[in-house]
Amino acid sequence: TDVYPVDRVAPNNTMNDLIASEWVQETKSWFRQKGLGANHEHAKIEREHPAPFSFQDVGRLIRFFTKEGESVIDPFCGVGSTNKAAALDGRNSTGIELSQKWVDLCHKRMEIEVGGKADDVDTEFITGDSSVEVGKLVEDGRLFQFLVTSPPYWSILNKKADHKVKQMRLAEDLATNYSEDEEDLGNIDDYEYFLDKLTEILLGCWNLLDHGRYAAVIVSDFRHGSKYYPFHAHLIDRLTDENVPNHFELQGLKVLLQTHKRLFPYGYPTTYVENIHHQYIIILRKPKKRK
């Protein structure tokens, strides 16, 4: 037969190690966020960070956009969800994080939550400013097959505590912002300048990706004061700007549904204010090398 069996990986599958039925499921434009649950033993370290994302969700992306043994980079690795997911699926990874506090928790997380599986892959954590460290990796000639990250969402973590922050962070004495570092993107006051700095870092990663490979940037829109910011749209415009030499190609936009999140009475009883219970996964590609 000319059709390759759907229960085996096609020999010409250069993207991943999935069979056809697994592949097609991952091409849906949405999926539901999956977590271990707040009471799970392996959720304790992740919960220390004010804006973690599920290693299970990032694992789906890693399994689709890489093969076993390939390398993944996360320029805003937080407490290492990307690195944990990569190690569990047999991928090498490099994470960059500004705060030593979070890097220490990354190492602890790998030791406790990944254990011996981490011995089979190369896992690297770099403490430093991504705007500097990405350039160093480029100078060293490093190359990766996938970039996945969830960057800071401007300075929204520094705003006055609302219902959610009071009930879910302050009440449990958990951190409410990334750091106090002046270089932290989460501490930039001006939105346009924040976008400039974030775009600079992500476009800098263009040189770290093999040609034809992909990047997934996980973001959420947000409100700041009385204004709604379509952050995902602003970021797409900048990362795919054809006037920029090293720009990405937009391949798709996946919605990550956060159906488990608690509802809060924002705006009640006079004003419509959304409970934003989804994120966007911006799927980008570095163009194939021209022959």
Side-chain angles (χ1 to χ4, degrees):
T1 176
D2 293 330
V3 179
Y4 197 75
V6 296
D7 60 343
R8 295 168 60 189
V9 180
N12 60 345
N13 181 348
T14 59
M15 174 86 78
N16 53 46
D17 299 319
L18 303 181
I19 61 176
S21 59
E22 294 170 325
W23 178 299
V24 72
Q25 286 298 315
E26 298 307 318
T27 60
K28 289 188 297 186
S29 60
W30 63 273
F31 64 86
R32 287 186 174 86
Q33 190 177 63
K34 186 176 182 180
L36 294 172
N39 296 321
H40 194 284
E41 186 68 21
H42 284 185
K44 290 182 178 179
I45 297 176
E46 177 185 274
R47 187 163 167 74
E48 292 290 319
H49 195 274
F53 61 99
S54 168
F55 79 91
Q56 292 160 293
D57 295 336
V58 76
R60 290 182 67 164
L61 298 170
I62 288 172
R63 288 190 295 275
F64 187 85
F65 288 106
T66 63
K67 286 180 170 289
E68 188 172 350
E70 292 188 330
S71 297
V72 179
I73 184 167
D74 184 342
F76 302 99
C77 74
V79 285
S81 292
T82 293
N83 307 85
K84 174 181 177 177
L88 290 175
D89 283 309
R91 275 72 165 172
N92 308 307
S93 67
T94 294
I96 305 173
E97 171 54 45
L98 181 64
S99 172
Q100 186 62 52
K101 172 184 178 179
W102 304 130
V103 172
D104 290 343
L105 287 178
C106 285
H107 288 291
K108 185 177 180 181
R109 196 174 183 196
M110 294 296 292
E111 179 183 350
I112 294 174
E113 299 176 20
V114 179
K117 287 190 176 182
D119 298 334
D120 300 327
V121 295
D122 294 324
T123 304
E124 174 186 27
F125 295 107
I126 300 172
T127 306
D129 184 345
S130 291
S131 63
V132 175
E133 300 302 331
V134 166
K136 291 179 181 179
L137 292 175
V138 172
E139 290 177 3
D140 291 342
R142 298 283 296 276
L143 282 176
F144 299 85
Q145 287 70 55
F146 184 45
L147 179 153
V148 58
T149 193
S150 182
Y153 301 170
W154 189 27
S155 61
I156 59 171
L157 293 184
N158 293 334
K159 66 182 181 180
K160 183 179 179 181
D162 60 13
H163 302 284
K164 176 182 177 182
V165 173
K166 289 177 180 177
Q167 291 185 26
M168 301 182 69
R169 305 297 300 179
L170 293 177
E172 298 185 34
D173 197 27
L174 296 171
T176 57
N177 66 353
Y178 303 113
S179 75
E180 301 300 327
D181 197 307
E182 291 182 359
E183 301 302 318
D184 194 322
L185 295 187
N187 293 329
I188 295 176
D189 291 329
D190 184 78
Y191 181 61
E192 291 299 320
Y193 181 60
F194 159 75
L195 281 175
D196 287 343
K197 294 295 291 183
L198 177 56
T199 301
E200 177 187 334
I201 292 169
L202 292 176
L203 290 181
C205 292
W206 192 93
N207 289 309
L208 292 176
L209 279 179
D210 275 334
H211 282 278
R213 303 309 292 257
Y214 293 80
V217 183
I218 305 166
V219 298
S220 175
D221 293 345
F222 50 80
R223 294 186 69 90
H224 191 61
S226 61
K227 186 175 180 180
Y228 183 93
Y229 290 80
F231 177 36
H232 81 282
H234 293 157
L235 195 55
I236 289 172
D237 285 344
R238 288 170 177 256
L239 296 178
T240 61
D241 184 353
E242 294 183 0
N243 295 313
V244 177
N246 293 345
H247 63 273
F248 289 99
E249 296 174 343
L250 181 63
Q251 294 294 117
L253 188 62
K254 195 182 293 286
V255 178
L256 182 57
L257 304 177
Q258 298 169 300
T259 55
H260 66 286
K261 290 180 69 173
R262 194 180 305 172
L263 287 167
F264 290 91
Y266 302 127
Y268 178 82
T270 63
T271 308
Y272 175 72
V273 179
E274 284 187 342
N275 276 267
I276 301 174
H277 287 189
H278 70 278
Q279 293 172 300
Y280 293 101
I281 304 174
I282 305 170
I283 308 295
L284 306 161
R285 192 181 193 189
K286 178 176 178 176
K288 289 183 178 181
K289 196 169 185 178
R290 295 177 181 175
K291 297 181 179 179

